[in-house]
Coordinates of all heavy atoms in Angstrom, one line a residue:
M501 N -36.4 -4.9 3.8 CA -35.3 -4.5 4.6 C -35.5 -5.1 6.0 O -36.5 -5.1 6.6 CB -35.2 -3.0 4.8 CG -34.0 -2.5 5.4 SD -33.7 -0.8 5.1 CE -33.9 -0.1 6.7
D502 N -34.4 -5.7 6.5 CA -34.5 -6.3 7.8 C -34.5 -5.3 9.0 O -33.6 -4.4 9.0 CB -33.3 -7.2 8.0 CG -33.3 -8.1 9.2 OD1 -34.4 -8.1 9.9 OD2 -32.3 -8.8 9.5
P503 N -35.5 -5.3 9.8 CA -35.6 -4.2 10.8 C -34.5 -4.4 11.9 O -34.4 -3.5 12.8 CB -37.0 -4.4 11.4 CG -37.3 -5.8 11.1 CD -36.7 -6.2 9.8
Y504 N -33.9 -5.5 12.0 CA -32.9 -5.8 13.1 C -31.5 -5.5 12.7 O -30.6 -5.8 13.6 CB -33.1 -7.2 13.6 CG -34.5 -7.5 14.1 CD1 -35.4 -8.3 13.4 CD2 -34.9 -6.9 15.3 CE1 -36.6 -8.5 13.8 CE2 -36.2 -7.1 15.7 CZ -37.0 -7.9 15.0 OH -38.3 -8.1 15.4
T505 N -31.2 -5.1 11.5 CA -29.8 -4.7 11.2 C -29.5 -3.4 11.7 O -30.3 -2.5 11.9 CB -29.6 -4.8 9.7 OG1 -30.5 -3.8 9.1 CG2 -29.9 -6.1 9.1
T506 N -28.2 -3.2 12.1 CA -27.8 -1.9 12.6 C -27.5 -1.0 11.4 O -27.1 -1.4 10.4 CB -26.5 -2.1 13.4 OG1 -25.5 -2.7 12.7 CG2 -26.8 -3.0 14.6
A507 N -27.6 0.3 11.7 CA -27.3 1.3 10.7 C -25.7 1.3 10.5 O -25.0 1.1 11.5 CB -27.8 2.7 11.2
P508 N -25.3 1.6 9.3 CA -23.8 1.7 9.1 C -23.3 2.8 10.0 O -23.8 3.9 10.0 CB -23.7 1.9 7.6 CG -25.0 2.3 7.1 CD -26.0 1.8 8.1
R509 N -22.1 2.6 10.5 CA -21.5 3.6 11.3 C -20.8 4.6 10.5 O -20.1 4.3 9.5 CB -20.5 3.0 12.3 CG -21.2 2.1 13.3 CD -20.2 1.6 14.3 NE -19.3 0.7 13.7 CZ -18.3 0.1 14.3 NH1 -18.0 0.4 15.5 NH2 -17.5 -0.7 13.6
S510 N -20.9 5.9 10.8 CA -20.3 6.9 10.0 C -18.8 7.0 10.2 O -18.1 7.6 9.4 CB -20.9 8.3 10.3 OG -20.6 8.6 11.7
S511 N -18.2 6.4 11.2 CA -16.8 6.4 11.5 C -16.0 5.7 10.4 O -14.9 6.1 10.0 CB -16.4 5.8 12.8 OG -16.8 4.4 12.8
R512 N -16.6 4.6 9.8 CA -15.9 3.9 8.7 C -15.9 4.9 7.5 O -14.8 4.9 6.8 CB -16.7 2.7 8.3 CG -16.6 1.6 9.3 CD -17.2 0.3 8.7 NE -17.4 -0.7 9.7 CZ -16.5 -1.5 10.2 NH1 -15.3 -1.4 9.8 NH2 -16.8 -2.4 11.2
W513 N -16.9 5.6 7.2 CA -16.9 6.5 6.1 C -15.9 7.6 6.3 O -15.1 7.9 5.4 CB -18.3 7.1 5.9 CG -18.4 8.1 4.8 CD1 -18.6 7.8 3.5 CD2 -18.3 9.5 4.9 NE1 -18.6 8.9 2.7 CE2 -18.4 10.0 3.6 CE3 -18.1 10.4 5.9 CZ2 -18.3 11.3 3.3 CZ3 -18.0 11.7 5.6 CH2 -18.1 12.2 4.3
R514 N -15.8 8.1 7.5 CA -14.8 9.2 7.8 C -13.4 8.6 7.7 O -12.5 9.4 7.2 CB -15.1 9.7 9.2 CG -16.0 10.9 9.2 CD -16.1 11.5 10.5 NE -17.3 11.0 11.1 CZ -17.5 10.7 12.4 NH1 -16.6 10.8 13.2 NH2 -18.7 10.3 12.8
R515 N -13.2 7.4 8.2 CA -11.8 6.9 8.0 C -11.4 6.7 6.5 O -10.3 7.0 6.2 CB -11.7 5.5 8.7 CG -11.6 5.6 10.2 CD -11.3 4.3 10.8 NE -12.3 3.3 10.4 CZ -12.6 2.2 11.0 NH1 -11.9 2.0 12.1 NH2 -13.5 1.4 10.6
G516 N -12.4 6.3 5.7 CA -12.1 6.2 4.3 C -11.8 7.5 3.6 O -10.9 7.7 2.8
V517 N -12.5 8.5 4.1 CA -12.3 9.9 3.5 C -11.0 10.4 4.0 O -10.2 11.0 3.2 CB -13.5 10.8 3.9 CG1 -13.1 12.3 3.6 CG2 -14.7 10.4 3.2
Y518 N -10.6 10.2 5.2 CA -9.3 10.7 5.7 C -8.2 9.9 5.0 O -7.2 10.5 4.6 CB -9.2 10.5 7.2 CG -10.1 11.4 8.0 CD1 -10.6 10.9 9.2 CD2 -10.5 12.6 7.6 CE1 -11.5 11.7 10.0 CE2 -11.3 13.4 8.3 CZ -11.8 13.0 9.5 OH -12.6 13.8 10.3
A519 N -8.4 8.6 4.8 CA -7.4 7.8 4.1 C -7.2 8.3 2.7 O -6.1 8.4 2.2 CB -7.7 6.4 4.1
A520 N -8.3 8.6 2.0 CA -8.2 9.1 0.6 C -7.5 10.5 0.6 O -6.8 10.8 -0.3 CB -9.6 9.2 0.0
G521 N -7.8 11.3 1.6 CA -7.1 12.6 1.8 C -5.6 12.5 1.9 O -4.9 13.4 1.5
I522 N -5.2 11.4 2.4 CA -3.7 11.1 2.5 C -3.2 10.5 1.3 O -2.1 10.9 0.8 CB -3.4 10.2 3.7 CG1 -3.8 10.9 5.1 CG2 -2.0 9.7 3.7 CD1 -3.7 10.0 6.3
V523 N -3.9 9.6 0.7 CA -3.4 8.8 -0.5 C -3.4 9.7 -1.7 O -2.5 9.5 -2.6 CB -4.3 7.5 -0.7 CG1 -3.9 6.9 -2.0 CG2 -4.0 6.6 0.5
I524 N -4.4 10.5 -1.9 CA -4.5 11.3 -3.2 C -3.2 12.2 -3.4 O -2.7 12.2 -4.5 CB -5.8 12.1 -3.2 CG1 -7.0 11.1 -3.5 CG2 -5.8 13.1 -4.3 CD1 -8.3 11.7 -3.3
P525 N -2.8 13.0 -2.4 CA -1.6 13.8 -2.6 C -0.3 13.0 -2.9 O 0.5 13.3 -3.7 CB -1.4 14.6 -1.3 CG -2.8 14.6 -0.7 CD -3.4 13.3 -1.1
F526 N -0.2 11.8 -2.2 CA 0.9 11.0 -2.4 C 0.9 10.3 -3.8 O 1.9 10.2 -4.4 CB 1.1 9.9 -1.3 CG 1.6 10.5 0.0 CD1 0.8 10.7 1.0 CD2 3.0 10.8 0.1 CE1 1.3 11.3 2.2 CE2 3.5 11.3 1.2 CZ 2.7 11.6 2.3
T527 N -0.3 10.0 -4.3 CA -0.4 9.4 -5.6 C 0.0 10.5 -6.6 O 0.8 10.2 -7.6 CB -1.9 9.0 -5.9 OG1 -2.2 8.0 -4.9 CG2 -2.0 8.5 -7.3
A528 N -0.5 11.7 -6.5 CA -0.1 12.8 -7.4 C 1.4 13.0 -7.4 O 2.0 13.2 -8.4 CB -0.9 14.1 -7.0
S529 N 2.0 13.1 -6.2 CA 3.4 13.3 -6.1 C 4.2 12.2 -6.7 O 5.3 12.4 -7.4 CB 3.9 13.6 -4.7 OG 3.7 12.5 -3.9
Q530 N 3.8 10.9 -6.5 CA 4.5 9.8 -7.2 C 4.4 9.9 -8.7 O 5.4 9.7 -9.4 CB 3.8 8.4 -6.7 CG 4.2 8.0 -5.4 CD 5.5 7.2 -5.5 OE1 6.1 6.9 -6.5 NE2 6.0 6.7 -4.3
L531 N 3.2 10.1 -9.2 CA 3.1 10.2 -10.7 C 3.9 11.4 -11.2 O 4.5 11.3 -12.3 CB 1.6 10.4 -11.0 CG 0.8 9.2 -10.8 CD1 -0.7 9.4 -11.1 CD2 1.3 8.0 -11.6
W532 N 3.9 12.6 -10.5 CA 4.7 13.7 -11.0 C 6.2 13.4 -11.0 O 6.8 13.7 -12.0 CB 4.4 14.9 -10.0 CG 5.2 16.1 -10.4 CD1 5.0 17.0 -11.4 CD2 6.4 16.5 -9.7 NE1 6.0 17.9 -11.4 CE2 6.9 17.6 -10.4 CE3 7.2 16.0 -8.6 CZ2 8.1 18.3 -10.0 CZ3 8.3 16.6 -8.2 CH2 8.7 17.8 -8.9
A533 N 6.7 12.8 -9.9 CA 8.1 12.4 -9.9 C 8.5 11.5 -11.0 O 9.5 11.6 -11.6 CB 8.4 11.9 -8.5
L534 N 7.6 10.5 -11.2 CA 7.9 9.5 -12.3 C 7.9 10.2 -13.6 O 8.8 9.9 -14.5 CB 6.8 8.4 -12.2 CG 7.1 7.2 -13.1 CD1 8.4 6.5 -12.7 CD2 6.0 6.2 -12.9
L535 N 7.0 11.1 -13.9 CA 6.9 11.8 -15.2 C 8.2 12.7 -15.4 O 8.7 12.7 -16.5 CB 5.6 12.6 -15.3 CG 4.4 11.8 -15.5 CD1 3.2 12.7 -15.5 CD2 4.4 11.0 -16.8
V536 N 8.6 13.3 -14.3 CA 9.8 14.2 -14.4 C 11.0 13.3 -14.7 O 11.8 13.6 -15.5 CB 10.0 15.0 -13.1 CG1 11.4 15.6 -13.0 CG2 8.9 16.0 -13.0
L537 N 11.1 12.2 -14.0 CA 12.2 11.3 -14.2 C 12.2 10.7 -15.6 O 13.3 10.7 -16.3 CB 12.1 10.1 -13.2 CG 13.3 9.2 -13.2 CD1 14.6 9.9 -12.8 CD2 13.1 8.1 -12.2
L538 N 11.1 10.4 -16.2 CA 11.0 9.8 -17.5 C 11.4 10.9 -18.5 O 11.9 10.6 -19.6 CB 9.6 9.3 -17.8 CG 9.2 8.0 -17.2 CD1 7.8 7.7 -17.4 CD2 10.1 6.9 -17.7
R539 N 11.1 12.2 -18.2 CA 11.4 13.2 -19.2 C 12.9 13.6 -19.2 O 13.4 13.9 -20.2 CB 10.5 14.4 -18.9 CG 10.8 15.5 -19.9 CD 9.8 16.6 -19.7 NE 10.2 17.6 -20.7 CZ 9.6 18.8 -20.9 NH1 8.6 19.1 -20.1 NH2 10.0 19.6 -21.7
L540 N 13.5 13.6 -18.0 CA 14.8 14.1 -17.9 C 15.9 13.1 -18.0 O 17.1 13.4 -18.4 CB 15.0 14.9 -16.6 CG 14.1 16.1 -16.4 CD1 14.3 16.7 -15.0 CD2 14.4 17.1 -17.5
A541 N 15.7 11.8 -17.7 CA 16.7 10.8 -17.6 C 16.9 10.1 -19.0 O 15.9 9.9 -19.7 CB 16.4 9.8 -16.5
P542 N 18.1 9.8 -19.4 CA 18.3 9.0 -20.6 C 17.8 7.5 -20.3 O 18.0 7.0 -19.2 CB 19.8 9.0 -20.8 CG 20.4 9.3 -19.5 CD 19.4 10.1 -18.7
L543 N 17.2 6.9 -21.2 CA 16.6 5.6 -21.0 C 17.5 4.4 -21.5 O 16.9 3.4 -21.9 CB 15.2 5.5 -21.6 CG 14.2 6.5 -21.1 CD1 12.9 6.4 -21.8 CD2 14.0 6.3 -19.6
D544 N 18.8 4.6 -21.5 CA 19.6 3.5 -22.0 C 20.5 2.9 -20.9 O 20.8 3.6 -19.9 CB 20.6 4.0 -23.1 CG 21.4 5.2 -22.7 OD1 21.0 5.8 -21.6 OD2 22.4 5.5 -23.3
G545 N 20.8 1.7 -21.0 CA 21.6 1.0 -20.0 C 21.0 0.8 -18.7 O 19.8 0.5 -18.5
L546 N 21.8 0.9 -17.6 CA 21.4 0.7 -16.3 C 20.4 1.7 -15.8 O 19.5 1.4 -15.0 CB 22.6 0.7 -15.3 CG 23.5 -0.6 -15.4 CD1 24.7 -0.4 -14.5 CD2 22.7 -1.8 -15.1
V547 N 20.5 2.9 -16.3 CA 19.5 4.0 -15.9 C 18.1 3.5 -16.4 O 17.1 3.7 -15.6 CB 19.9 5.3 -16.5 CG1 18.9 6.3 -16.2 CG2 21.3 5.8 -16.0
G548 N 18.0 3.0 -17.6 CA 16.7 2.5 -18.1 C 16.1 1.4 -17.2 O 14.9 1.4 -16.9
Q549 N 17.0 0.5 -16.8 CA 16.5 -0.6 -16.0 C 16.1 -0.1 -14.6 O 15.1 -0.5 -14.0 CB 17.6 -1.6 -15.8 CG 17.9 -2.4 -17.1 CD 19.1 -3.3 -16.9 OE1 19.7 -3.4 -15.9 NE2 19.4 -4.0 -18.0
A550 N 16.8 0.9 -14.0 CA 16.5 1.5 -12.8 C 15.1 2.2 -12.9 O 14.3 2.2 -11.9 CB 17.6 2.4 -12.3
I551 N 14.9 2.9 -14.0 CA 13.6 3.6 -14.2 C 12.5 2.6 -14.2 O 11.4 2.9 -13.7 CB 13.7 4.5 -15.4 CG1 14.6 5.7 -15.1 CG2 12.3 5.0 -15.8 CD1 14.8 6.6 -16.3
V552 N 12.7 1.5 -14.9 CA 11.6 0.4 -14.9 C 11.3 0.0 -13.4 O 10.2 -0.2 -13.1 CB 12.1 -0.7 -15.8 CG1 11.1 -1.9 -15.6 CG2 12.1 -0.3 -17.2
L553 N 12.4 -0.3 -12.7 CA 12.1 -0.7 -11.3 C 11.5 0.4 -10.4 O 10.6 0.1 -9.6 CB 13.5 -1.1 -10.6 CG 14.1 -2.4 -11.1 CD1 15.5 -2.6 -10.5 CD2 13.2 -3.6 -10.9
I554 N 11.9 1.6 -10.7 CA 11.2 2.7 -9.9 C 9.7 2.8 -10.3 O 8.9 3.0 -9.5 CB 11.9 4.0 -10.2 CG1 13.3 4.0 -9.5 CG2 11.1 5.2 -9.8 CD1 14.2 5.2 -10.0
G555 N 9.5 2.6 -11.6 CA 8.1 2.7 -12.1 C 7.2 1.6 -11.5 O 6.1 1.8 -11.0
L556 N 7.8 0.4 -11.4 CA 7.1 -0.8 -10.8 C 6.9 -0.5 -9.3 O 5.8 -0.8 -8.8 CB 7.8 -2.1 -11.0 CG 7.9 -2.6 -12.5 CD1 8.8 -3.8 -12.6 CD2 6.5 -2.9 -13.0
G557 N 7.9 0.0 -8.6 CA 7.7 0.4 -7.2 C 6.6 1.4 -7.0 O 5.9 1.4 -6.1
S558 N 6.6 2.4 -7.9 CA 5.6 3.5 -7.8 C 4.2 2.9 -8.0 O 3.2 3.2 -7.3 CB 5.8 4.6 -8.8 OG 7.0 5.2 -8.5
V559 N 4.0 2.0 -9.0 CA 2.7 1.4 -9.2 C 2.3 0.5 -8.0 O 1.1 0.6 -7.6 CB 2.8 0.5 -10.5 CG1 1.5 -0.3 -10.6 CG2 2.9 1.4 -11.7
A560 N 3.2 -0.2 -7.4 CA 2.9 -1.0 -6.3 C 2.5 -0.2 -5.1 O 1.6 -0.5 -4.4 CB 4.1 -1.9 -5.9
A561 N 3.2 1.0 -4.9 CA 2.9 1.9 -3.8 C 1.5 2.5 -3.9 O 0.8 2.6 -3.0 CB 4.0 2.9 -3.6
I562 N 1.2 2.9 -5.1 CA -0.1 3.5 -5.4 C -1.2 2.5 -5.2 O -2.2 2.8 -4.6 CB -0.1 4.1 -6.8 CG1 0.8 5.4 -6.9 CG2 -1.5 4.5 -7.2 CD1 1.1 5.9 -8.3
W563 N -1.0 1.3 -5.7 CA -2.0 0.2 -5.6 C -2.2 -0.1 -4.1 O -3.3 -0.2 -3.6 CB -1.5 -1.0 -6.3 CG -2.4 -2.2 -6.0 CD1 -3.6 -2.4 -6.6 CD2 -2.2 -3.3 -5.1 NE1 -4.2 -3.6 -6.2 CE2 -3.3 -4.1 -5.2 CE3 -1.2 -3.6 -4.2 CZ2 -3.4 -5.3 -4.5 CZ3 -1.3 -4.7 -3.5 CH2 -2.4 -5.6 -3.6
A564 N -1.1 -0.2 -3.3 CA -1.2 -0.5 -1.9 C -2.0 0.6 -1.1 O -2.8 0.3 -0.2 CB 0.1 -0.7 -1.3
G565 N -1.7 1.8 -1.5 CA -2.3 3.0 -0.8 C -3.8 3.0 -1.1 O -4.7 3.2 -0.2
W566 N -4.2 2.8 -2.3 CA -5.6 2.8 -2.7 C -6.4 1.6 -2.1 O -7.5 1.6 -1.7 CB -5.8 2.9 -4.2 CG -5.6 4.3 -4.6 CD1 -4.5 4.8 -5.2 CD2 -6.5 5.4 -4.4 NE1 -4.7 6.2 -5.4 CE2 -5.9 6.5 -4.9 CE3 -7.8 5.5 -3.8 CZ2 -6.5 7.8 -4.9 CZ3 -8.4 6.8 -3.8 CH2 -7.8 7.9 -4.3
R567 N -5.7 0.4 -2.0 CA -6.3 -0.8 -1.4 C -6.5 -0.5 0.1 O -7.6 -0.9 0.6 CB -5.4 -2.0 -1.6 CG -5.9 -3.2 -1.1 CD -5.0 -4.4 -1.5 NE -5.4 -5.6 -0.8 CZ -4.8 -6.1 0.3 NH1 -3.7 -5.4 0.8 NH2 -5.2 -7.1 0.9
W568 N -5.6 0.1 0.7 CA -5.7 0.5 2.1 C -6.9 1.4 2.3 O -7.7 1.3 3.3 CB -4.4 1.1 2.6 CG -4.4 1.6 4.0 CD1 -4.5 0.9 5.2 CD2 -4.3 3.0 4.3 NE1 -4.4 1.8 6.2 CE2 -4.3 3.1 5.7 CE3 -4.2 4.2 3.6 CZ2 -4.3 4.3 6.4 CZ3 -4.1 5.4 4.3 CH2 -4.2 5.4 5.6
T569 N -7.0 2.4 1.4 CA -8.1 3.4 1.5 C -9.5 2.6 1.3 O -10.4 2.9 2.1 CB -8.0 4.4 0.4 OG1 -6.7 5.1 0.7 CG2 -9.1 5.5 0.5
W570 N -9.5 1.7 0.4 CA -10.8 1.0 0.1 C -11.2 0.2 1.3 O -12.3 0.1 1.7 CB -10.6 0.1 -1.1 CG -11.7 -0.7 -1.4 CD1 -11.9 -2.1 -1.1 CD2 -13.0 -0.3 -1.9 NE1 -13.1 -2.5 -1.5 CE2 -13.8 -1.5 -2.0 CE3 -13.5 0.8 -2.4 CZ2 -15.1 -1.5 -2.5 CZ3 -14.8 0.9 -2.9 CH2 -15.6 -0.3 -3.0
Q571 N -10.2 -0.5 2.0 CA -10.5 -1.3 3.1 C -11.0 -0.5 4.3 O -11.8 -1.0 5.1 CB -9.3 -2.2 3.5 CG -9.1 -3.3 2.5 CD -7.9 -4.2 2.8 OE1 -7.1 -3.8 3.7 NE2 -7.7 -5.3 2.2
L572 N -10.4 0.7 4.5 CA -10.8 1.5 5.6 C -12.2 2.0 5.5 O -13.0 2.2 6.4 CB -9.8 2.6 5.8 CG -8.6 2.3 6.6 CD1 -7.7 3.6 6.6 CD2 -8.8 1.8 7.9
G573 N -12.6 2.3 4.2 CA -13.9 2.9 4.0 C -15.0 1.9 3.8 O -16.2 2.3 3.8
R574 N -14.7 0.7 3.7 CA -15.7 -0.4 3.4 C -16.4 -0.7 4.7 O -15.8 -0.8 5.8 CB -15.0 -1.6 2.8 CG -16.0 -2.6 2.3 CD -15.2 -3.7 1.6 NE -14.2 -4.2 2.5 CZ -13.6 -5.3 2.4 NH1 -13.8 -6.0 1.3 NH2 -12.7 -5.8 3.2
D575 N -17.7 -1.0 4.7 CA -18.4 -1.4 5.8 C -18.3 -3.0 6.0 O -19.0 -3.7 5.3 CB -19.9 -1.0 5.7 CG -20.6 -1.1 7.0 OD1 -20.0 -1.5 8.0 OD2 -21.9 -0.9 7.0
K576 N -17.5 -3.4 6.9 CA -17.2 -4.8 7.1 C -18.4 -5.6 7.8 O -18.5 -6.8 7.7 CB -15.9 -5.1 7.8 CG -14.7 -4.6 7.0 CD -13.5 -4.7 7.8 CE -12.4 -4.0 7.1 NZ -11.2 -3.9 7.9
D577 N -19.2 -4.8 8.5 CA -20.2 -5.5 9.3 C -21.4 -5.8 8.4 O -22.3 -6.6 8.9 CB -20.7 -4.5 10.4 CG -19.6 -4.2 11.4 OD1 -18.7 -5.1 11.5 OD2 -19.7 -3.2 12.1
R578 N -21.5 -5.3 7.3 CA -22.7 -5.5 6.4 C -22.6 -6.9 5.8 O -21.6 -7.3 5.2 CB -22.6 -4.4 5.3 CG -24.0 -4.1 4.9 CD -23.9 -2.9 4.0 NE -25.0 -3.1 3.1 CZ -25.4 -2.3 2.2 NH1 -24.6 -1.3 1.9 NH2 -26.4 -2.5 1.4
Q579 N -23.7 -7.6 5.9 CA -23.8 -8.9 5.3 C -24.4 -8.8 3.9 O -25.2 -8.0 3.6 CB -24.7 -9.8 6.2 CG -24.3 -10.0 7.6 CD -23.0 -10.8 7.6 OE1 -22.8 -11.7 6.8 NE2 -22.1 -10.5 8.6
P580 N -23.9 -9.7 3.0 CA -24.5 -9.6 1.6 C -26.0 -10.0 1.7 O -26.4 -10.8 2.5 CB -23.7 -10.7 0.9 CG -23.0 -11.5 1.9 CD -22.9 -10.7 3.1
A581 N -26.7 -9.5 0.7 CA -28.1 -9.8 0.6 C -28.4 -11.2 0.4 O -27.6 -11.8 -0.5 CB -28.8 -8.9 -0.5
P582 N -29.3 -11.8 1.0 CA -29.6 -13.3 0.7 C -30.1 -13.5 -0.7 O -30.9 -12.6 -1.2 CB -30.7 -13.6 1.8 CG -31.3 -12.3 2.2 CD -30.3 -11.3 2.0
K583 N -29.7 -14.6 -1.3 CA -30.2 -14.9 -2.6 C -31.6 -15.4 -2.5 O -31.9 -16.3 -1.7 CB -29.3 -15.9 -3.3 CG -27.9 -15.3 -3.5 CD -27.0 -16.4 -4.2 CE -25.6 -15.8 -4.4 NZ -24.7 -16.7 -5.1
T584 N -32.4 -14.8 -3.3 CA -33.8 -15.3 -3.3 C -34.0 -16.3 -4.5 O -33.4 -16.2 -5.6 CB -34.8 -14.2 -3.6 OG1 -34.5 -13.5 -4.8 CG2 -34.8 -13.2 -2.4
R585 N -34.7 -17.4 -4.2 CA -34.8 -18.4 -5.2 C -36.2 -18.3 -5.8 O -37.2 -18.3 -5.0 CB -34.7 -19.8 -4.5 CG -34.6 -20.9 -5.5 CD -34.1 -22.1 -4.8 NE -34.1 -23.2 -5.8 CZ -33.9 -24.4 -5.5 NH1 -33.6 -24.8 -4.3 NH2 -33.9 -25.3 -6.4
I586 N -36.3 -18.2 -7.0 CA -37.6 -18.1 -7.7 C -38.1 -19.5 -8.0 O -37.4 -20.3 -8.7 CB -37.4 -17.3 -9.1 CG1 -36.9 -15.9 -8.7 CG2 -38.8 -17.3 -9.8 CD1 -36.5 -15.1 -10.0
P587 N -39.3 -19.8 -7.5 CA -39.8 -21.2 -7.8 C -40.2 -21.4 -9.2 O -40.7 -20.5 -9.9 CB -41.1 -21.3 -6.9 CG -41.4 -19.8 -6.5 CD -40.2 -19.0 -6.7
T588 N -39.9 -22.5 -9.7 CA -40.2 -22.9 -11.1 C -41.3 -23.9 -11.2 O -41.6 -24.7 -10.4 CB -38.9 -23.3 -11.9 OG1 -38.4 -24.5 -11.2 CG2 -37.9 -22.2 -12.0

């Protein structure tokens, strides 16, 4: 371990937890609304096409929210470990 590296800051971890606390309820509500719509709406004609677009939009929103959460919680200051070369 390199003695000159700084310790990871806890604020990044806290931001990731807070972001997850926001994203998890919205993910659950998106999935619930989509399941209710799929159960109640007829899937023929324009309604079926609209449901497909709504489903794709829900997937994109969920993906963007979790990507945002991952980026907030990640420690960007950390450098990858150097590759060690084994002499042959």
